[in-house]
Amino acid sequence: MRHLISPLDFTVEEIQKLLDLARDIEKNRSKYAHVCDGKKLATLFFEPSTRTRLSFESAMLSLGGSVLGVSSASSSSAAKGESVADTIRMISCYSDIVAMRHPKEGSAFVAAQKAGIPFINAGDGGHQHPTQTLTDLLTIYSLKGTLENMTIGLCGDLKFGRTVHSLIHAMVRYPGIKFVLISPPELRVPDYIREDVLDAHNIEYRELTNLEDAMAELDILYMTRIQRERFFNEEEYLRMKDYYVLDTDKMKLAKEDTFILHPLPRVNEISTEVDDDPRAAYFKQAQYGVYVRMALIMTLLELEVE
Ligand code: CP
């Protein structure tokens, strides 16, 4: 039985197979409409979500399966003090596969150890968000035709942004990847990402505070919001929240084929005027999230169609 806790749980070859399956699903939806007949997905979300939870549920319904779950800690027995370990043991009796989001780093690891069914980390605190990474990889692959030889700008809250941490982990395995890390000094990527991931893989990167200085060299610009829920101090959040705003003037500095990604939700960091730019790919990215989660559910349940 396999789980997905980190993007590194799949080899590069396995990720390629999953992306190819997702692309086939996109083109041939009806072929996959009954592959999960009789199967149940549980979604356990102890932190707010729109895209991840609903795209998982949409994915399972599109595969012919059904869904059950909780959308907040307050509506489950977690509010009475039940542990993640006990909750997962219960859910394993009620469903065939489970996706969980939890505010605590490491909760996914604990849950996977107790799960009697395939377990998917749908985000654990500021740590990892591997299914967002699969979504990001499918988006980049579909837009660029490759995951190799490109310069990726990551902009915003690189300290708390778990999508950024997961994406860096995943992309360092491809040749010719360079990063430009654009953040306020207080929100730089954690030391363990810089030392254990970037330096350990001899990845070329530089750190900047000014977005304009990077625009012209980027193939992908991955914007992120400032993660209000991870700040201890509201004043500090208010000081940071509008640090970056991507607008049409800044887009003029970018190449014609620089695509803009964002895991969403957006707050102020991308002006809505950018939405009409053909390089704005973040809503398409959310759509890819359904296809890649369909492919992931099939892969973890070891289901195939002829
Ligand atoms: N991208 C993402 O994780 O969005 P949600 O928080 O809405 O699930």
Side-chain angles (χ1 to χ4, degrees):
M1 187 172 54
R2 292 194 70 173
H3 306 300
L4 179 66
I5 304 169
S6 145
L8 302 184
D9 291 340
F10 287 131
T11 64
V12 167
E13 291 73 28
E14 286 172 328
I15 285 186
Q16 190 57 49
K17 210 171 150 195
L18 199 123
L19 300 186
D20 290 340
L21 175 58
R23 281 163 66 91
D24 193 59
I25 288 170
E26 180 187 6
K27 291 192 207 97
N28 305 291
R29 290 288 291 266
S30 59
K31 191 170 124 188
Y32 297 90
H34 296 287
V35 69
C36 279
D37 279 358
K39 301 282 186 196
K40 297 189 200 79
L41 164 75
T43 53
L44 287 182
F45 278 66
F46 299 114
E47 239 191 11
S49 168
T50 297
R51 272 146 298 277
T52 311
R53 185 169 68 85
L54 297 183
S55 64
F56 261 118
E57 295 188 359
S58 174
M60 190 49 149
L61 295 171
S62 299
L63 292 168
S66 48
V67 296
L68 65 161
V70 295
S71 58
S72 68
S74 61
S75 64
S76 77
S77 285
K80 302 177 203 163
E82 187 167 51
S83 67
V84 165
D86 282 0
T87 303
I88 284 293
R89 289 176 83 145
M90 293 302 104
I91 294 301
S92 301
C93 306
Y94 306 149
S95 58
D96 301 288
I97 184 166
V98 56
M100 184 187 88
R101 171 171 291 185
H102 197 281
K104 281 203 180 131
E105 285 86 357
S107 55
F109 182 71
V110 171
Q113 285 185 319
K114 297 293 177 186
I117 54 177
F119 171 87
I120 301 167
N121 177 10
D124 59 335
H127 187 218
Q128 298 262 8
H129 192 347
T131 65
Q132 181 63 49
T133 300
L134 295 176
T135 301
D136 301 338
L137 295 182
L138 179 61
T139 307
I140 296 169
Y141 187 56
S142 299
L143 293 171
K144 293 286 190 187
T146 178
L147 292 169
E148 301 178 2
N149 300 315
M150 63 184 83
T151 301
I152 300 176
L154 300 166
C155 177
D157 185 347
L158 308 189
K159 178 178 179 185
F160 295 119
R162 59 191 171 199
T163 63
V164 165
H165 305 162
S166 286
L167 186 58
I168 292 174
H169 270 99
M171 290 300 304
V172 297
R173 299 193 291 180
Y174 297 91
I177 296 299
K178 296 180 200 166
F179 290 105
V180 184
L181 306 173
I182 308 146
S183 73
E186 298 87 340
L187 297 177
R188 292 170 65 202
V189 288
D191 289 344
Y192 82 90
I193 297 277
R194 208 176 297 107
E195 291 159 17
D196 301 347
V197 186
L198 294 166
D199 293 341
H201 287 82
N202 292 318
I203 299 296
E204 193 178 323
Y205 71 93
R206 61 198 180 97
E207 296 186 277
L208 301 179
T209 52
N210 192 345
L211 175 57
E212 285 93 325
D213 289 348
M215 287 302 282
E217 68 187 280
L218 304 178
D219 298 301
I220 297 288
L221 171 58
Y222 193 95
M223 296 294 295
T224 62
R225 75 185 165 91
I226 307 296
Q227 304 266 310
R228 180 180 204 156
E229 65 276 30
R230 314 257 178 248
F231 276 73
F232 293 112
N233 178 334
E234 178 72 2
E235 271 177 30
E236 192 72 351
Y237 167 72
L238 294 174
R239 194 167 65 77
M240 301 283 169
K241 75 182 179 68
D242 294 325
Y243 209 100
Y244 298 107
V245 180
L246 180 65
D247 56 18
T248 48
D249 282 342
K250 292 193 188 77
M251 287 299 291
K252 286 180 191 148
L253 304 172
K255 295 189 282 194
E256 273 180 23
D257 60 352
T258 300
F259 290 102
I260 311 302
L261 274 61
H262 190 311
L264 305 178
R266 136 176 84 181
V267 186
N268 293 323
E269 60 281 355
I270 302 181
S271 166
T272 53
E273 67 192 17
V274 177
D275 297 356
D276 296 327
D277 190 305
R279 297 168 293 180
Y282 30 92
F283 292 116
K284 184 74 185 156
Q285 185 181 357
Q287 178 65 52
Y288 283 129
V290 178
Y291 307 135
V292 91
R293 289 181 175 100
M294 290 171 77
L296 177 65
I297 290 168
M298 285 182 60
T299 303
L300 292 181
L301 289 176
E302 299 180 0
L303 299 170
E304 291 181 5
V305 290
E306 293 308 313

